[in-house]
Amino acid sequence: MERKPSSRGRTLRSSKGHERREGEGVRSRLRRFSIGFGWFFLQLIVCASNLVPLDTLAQTSISAPHDVRVFDTPSDGGGSLTVQWAPSSWDGPDARYQVLAGDAAVTDPAALTIIAEFPANSKYVKDAKTAWWTRNVDKTWHQVLVRSAKGFEVKDGTSYAVAVATVQGDQRVFSPVLVASPSPDWFNWNQLNNLIIALSFGGLVFYSISYAKRHEIFLRRIPGLDAVDEAIGRATELGKPILYLTGAHDLHDPSTIAAAVILGKVAKRAALYETELLVPHREPITMAVCQEITKQAYLEAGKPDLFKEDANFFITADQFSYTAAVDGIMLRKKPAANFFMGAYFAESLLLTETGASTGAIQIAGTDSDHQLPFFVTTCDYTLIGEELYAASAYLSKEPVQIGTLLGQDIGKVVVLSAIGIGIVLATVGAVTGEQWPQLFLDLFRDLK
Amino acid sequence: MSFSERMLKIDRRIIFLMIGLCTLLPLLYPVGLPIKISSEVRGVYDHIESLPERSVFLLSIDFDPASKPELYPQAIALLRHAFRKHLRVVTMTLWVSGTGMADQLVTQVAKEMGKEYGTDYAFLGWSPGGQAVIINMGQDLYSAFPSDYSGKSTKDLPVLDGVRSLKDVGYMVSLGAGRPGVEEWYVFGKDKYKFELGGGCTGVMAPGLYPLLRSGQINGLIGGLRGAAEYENLIGQKGKAVAGMDAQSATHLAIIALVIMCNLFYFSLRQQRG
Amino acid sequence: MIFLRRQLPLLITLVTGLLFAAQYYVPHPASEQMLTSATKWLQIVGGFALILGVTSLFHQHAVKIRRQEAGWGYSLVLYVGMLGTIAVGLWTNGKESVEGTMTAFGWVYNYMMVPLQGTMFAILAFFIASAAYRSFRAKSREAAVLLVAAVIVMMGRVPLGEYLIPLSGDVSSWILNVLNSSVRRAILIGVSLGAVALSFKIIFGVERSYLGGGKE
Amino acid sequence: MTALPFESIIGAWVATGLTLLIFSFLYKDNPLFKLAEHLYVGVSVGYVIVKTYDTVIIHLVVKPIVENGEIALLIPVAIGMLMLTRYVPKAAWMSRYAFAFIVGMGAGLAIPRTVSSFILKQVEDTIRPLLSMAGSDGVTFSMNLLNPASHLNAIIILLGVSSVLFYFFFSIEHSGVGKAVARTGILFLMISFGAGFGYTVMARMSLLIGRLTDLIEFSDASYGRPTVWLSLLTVGALFLLARRGREQPPDIH
């Protein structure tokens, strides 16, 4: 037995109602996001009072799905409608729901195409990954998207009639037919948290850069840098040269820039102590820049006459030929201190092993994390990852570098506090079964 | 010069010889020790098992000959599994110097399994740009690869029926030796286009991909030759990876012995010097 | 001129950067269409960048040959290898195989490039072994922890190790899945913050080293 | 067994020879290795050029323009050309437009995607409840170390993530409690590097195994045993080179 749907007038009214809701969407969502917690808490209480216990699996006779809503899927590229309806007391594996759609002119739901059919205890709002600021109904409601499929095309700007039916055995009960039309949107509200995080972090970085331009900023001591002086001192005592490598990349890589900055400091010390400096290169432009840096360092140390053009020299760009040549230098000249700064690849081990066998103090600094294990085991000190940048910022005193570092530090504090607060709230949520911790947790979820 | 000191200074070519023998002998006289299956590798296997026939399986062969010993066996095992499950196999590469290898690999396994080019599988070849290729495939596959490796129009390939972009791919595995590799496929691919992603990688890369595995951003990870050996075991068709496991065992134990000896001599030397 | 040479490039970076960052949040088909076209362009430009990357070698070795510097013979070998490969490649339309049979280009690839590149990295196995013996010392508590973890993972990842010490497999899997994951996650978050900061600095022209020194 | 095709046999000899030339580096850096290394660079550059020409010029640009009239593709070609002005000193500044486009677009694409893939996703997965309600048992805390998702492991991951993140703070001095946290961070870092070390050893050994497997295959009689003959030849050549080297004074640089 099939029951005929209710009047068409109501259908139109409800679809108009949705249009209004959509028009308001932008402002209301923003307001919701900003007013946030208090508002939502109220909403939750209201929703909770409507909650129907799911575990009452009753064999009562079925009825038409109630509170059905059909509207253009928000935050999408068009071509899709969202259908939502309230859960019922008889939602269970025995009953099924059908979602039907067709031309807007159709008024008889039985004449519509069946788009989806599924057990009545599936397809909930909570299955779709959404955040509270985009959710307009409770998580326990049903939700289905109507999209183009074989034999049924959903076009933007065209109106479609949609109905939901409850099926049990050969009984089928229809909801009223509703009309809505899909359209593409200009903003994906689910990603609002992503946008806010990106923008505020970007703003933070620029703010901290400008702050660093105006204020002195404390940077912690980096133990590897202290070791630099010690190593140069020892080379001077032994009367042996210092070897400094700037890595495999060119100056486009921040790690090479950091290596060049640290070279300035090493060269200055070497000039003061009058110790020979050897800087073999793999890249001609880096060599030219490092030559300038070295010259400047000797000038600052007041020993321009000691500066030698050929302290920086180019060997070859080929990875292993370069390595073999540098190993040769290590074996012949037996430098007392070896520095490996910048980006390194498989050659790192060949270099540091030879260096270790000559008994040199070795100090490395790299962000090539795949090579870090080898540097740590074969060198005396290693600047790990970001420590290399920090060392360079510390030495160069450049506000852009220091400010960026500060900005990133604050970013890390935010991440850490989010994790800390999040874990406490998640645990509270898990133990008490409350929903409100989700208000915070959703802010740090990747939603689409 | 004390004993320890002399021992530490031995010619390294002796050690080279030792490692050479540790590799060579087990290869010539294999033992065949059992291999345990890890949950990381099982993740990829189980997902392919769960796919219905004729689902689209995209395999991106993102490595070059330098990583061939590790990733080639992985690719062979994955392709055999996919062909056996009668999936529609689409292959490609983001690494220019891997193109010839990928072509040879796909052709060889397809021939072995009796599959036909165009209807059962396709090789799209290489395209430059790394991340740009991934995004473009996510937007429109035919824009990123207007023609396949042999120059045929991709729109005419029956194997790509109903596939418009990465969104229509049932499962995608990237076998990456670096950049672009598994991470890029997540960031520029799965993040937006929401296909299921699995990863295979060299041993050097593997530890860095574990956070993505834990967070479910990739649903499985085949790490290095060992991972390939596990996969070969899972599909019950042993190949080069299983054959290499004995040599792998021998060399690992040799390295461990060397590290221990190094530290013994080092500490005895330190004690002597006070 | 200064505008054309200095400000316009920065303006281009600013506009493209903001446009494509914003695109992510806009699902409208117009924005998707823009992304499709632009990534296609990026693909093609990527090809040119690749050529740019390898051609610096031409120059370097050509100079060596012209000046007959020490080892110029090797540079000649490089040139012969390159020109030979290009000639063969163009002759076979850049295909390693046609209908499953290997072409001459495929032969160069399979029997020259594959073994050369493969072996280049295989020699590292020997150097790891020698370094293991000569320099992987537990100089500090940190290095000791590293070595112990390394030994466990080396044991646990091979059948013989698992056979000798059955626990090693589970322990190494725990180290990789839990301890290692947590560290790599922290590094990943830190590096990502750095990458986002760098991207912002590039877009707003604070970081401009990518434009290259060059003459103004 | 059918005889192998001629080109495979020649190929096996060439491949074996080149493999051995590279392996000769283990003895020491020598002209044979340098020869092979330069040949490698030459061949791979040639390969990249051919592939790029075929893929980009022919398949991505010329064909679509000729066959479908996609004139818009001339824009990226123009950008690419601008990039090549690097080689013309006077016009080199024009290459900046190309780099500005690529780098700007790269930066723009990266920001939102990095935030979602590596910051949000990783933070989201770290935030896990440390207790759970399991049916009738009430509040439970799982201690199973082998299950990465257990509560105990969630705490360990939390500890690792926060101490390592703290270690990379640069605007706070590591003293007092901070020192203890930073030290924990270092220990976590070292364990992870240890895992990386173990895995890298595994990877390098696998590469060697792969090469030796090929050499064993090529020592087969059907190829004419190139491995055996060429090994002898390489050793002989190295010996000769070593003798010649001893007669000459060692080079300085």
Side-chain angles (χ1 to χ4, degrees), chain D residues 140-218:
Chain D
T140 50
F141 180 83
S142 56
M143 304 269 279
N144 183 5
L145 277 177
L146 289 179
N147 172 14
S150 73
H151 294 129
L152 183 57
N153 281 332
I155 293 183
I156 296 173
I157 289 184
L158 170 67
L159 216 68
V161 170
S162 26
S163 60
V164 172
L165 266 181
F166 181 81
Y167 178 78
F168 290 115
F169 273 171
F170 295 104
S171 39
I172 299 175
E173 187 68 80
H174 288 172
S175 57
V177 185
K179 196 172 177 182
V181 180
R183 284 200 71 91
T184 317
I186 273 275
L187 286 184
F188 266 97
L189 269 171
M190 290 302 142
I191 293 172
S192 168
F193 288 158
F197 184 109
Y199 246 117
T200 308
V201 169
M202 179 171 126
R204 304 293 188 225
M205 295 302 151
S206 307
L207 297 188
L208 178 61
I209 292 167
R211 289 317 302 150
L212 290 190
T213 311
D214 281 4
L215 284 185
I216 291 172
E217 192 189 326
F218 291 152

Side-chain angles (χ1 to χ4, degrees), chain A residues 24-40 130-135 187-198 200 438-445 447, chain D residues 120:
Chain A
E24 260 185 10
V26 175
R27 244 179 303 147
S28 83
R29 277 192 204 108
L30 267 180
R31 203 188 315 134
R32 254 184 259 174
F33 203 89
S34 54
I35 300 172
F37 300 90
W39 181 86
F40 200 79
T130 52
W132 51 262
W133 59 88
T134 52
R135 218 178 289 136
F187 188 75
N188 185 347
W189 288 95
N190 292 311
Q191 294 173 332
L192 185 61
N193 61 340
N194 183 318
L195 180 64
I196 290 175
I197 289 174
S200 44
Q438 215 54 43
L439 292 176
F440 177 81
L441 298 181
D442 274 359
L443 297 177
F444 293 95
R445 283 172 68 207
L447 304 154
Chain D
L120 287 178

Side-chain angles (χ1 to χ4, degrees), chain A residues 94-223:
Chain A
D94 301 327
R96 304 177 69 75
Y97 281 121
Q98 278 181 350
V99 175
L100 307 100
D103 194 77
V106 179
T107 48
D108 175 12
L112 297 170
T113 324
I114 299 172
I115 298 290
E117 185 172 346
F118 49 91
N121 61 347
S122 62
K123 305 228 179 192
Y124 291 105
V125 171
K126 65 180 177 222
D127 301 337
K129 252 188 134 186
T130 52
W132 51 262
W133 59 88
T134 52
R135 218 178 289 136
N136 46 7
V137 289
D138 192 72
K139 273 173 153 184
T140 52
W141 280 45
H142 290 280
Q143 175 172 308
V144 169
L145 295 187
V146 177
R147 282 207 192 97
S148 290
K150 267 195 184 129
F152 185 76
E153 202 184 356
V154 180
K155 273 195 234 151
D156 289 336
T158 314
S159 294
Y160 295 90
V162 178
V164 184
T166 319
V167 186
Q168 192 173 41
D170 36 304
Q171 226 185 341
R172 183 153 88 149
V173 197
F174 290 99
S175 73
V177 176
L178 300 172
V179 175
S181 69
S183 63
D185 298 292
W186 286 99
F187 188 75
N188 185 347
W189 288 95
N190 292 311
Q191 294 173 332
L192 185 61
N193 61 340
N194 183 318
L195 180 64
I196 290 175
I197 289 174
L199 286 182
S200 44
F201 181 64
L204 175 71
V205 169
F206 291 120
Y207 175 75
S208 50
I209 289 176
S210 79
Y211 184 83
K213 280 182 181 156
R214 286 175 283 118
H215 299 85
E216 186 90 7
I217 285 175
F218 171 80
L219 284 185
R220 79 168 159 90
R221 244 185 30 175
I222 293 158

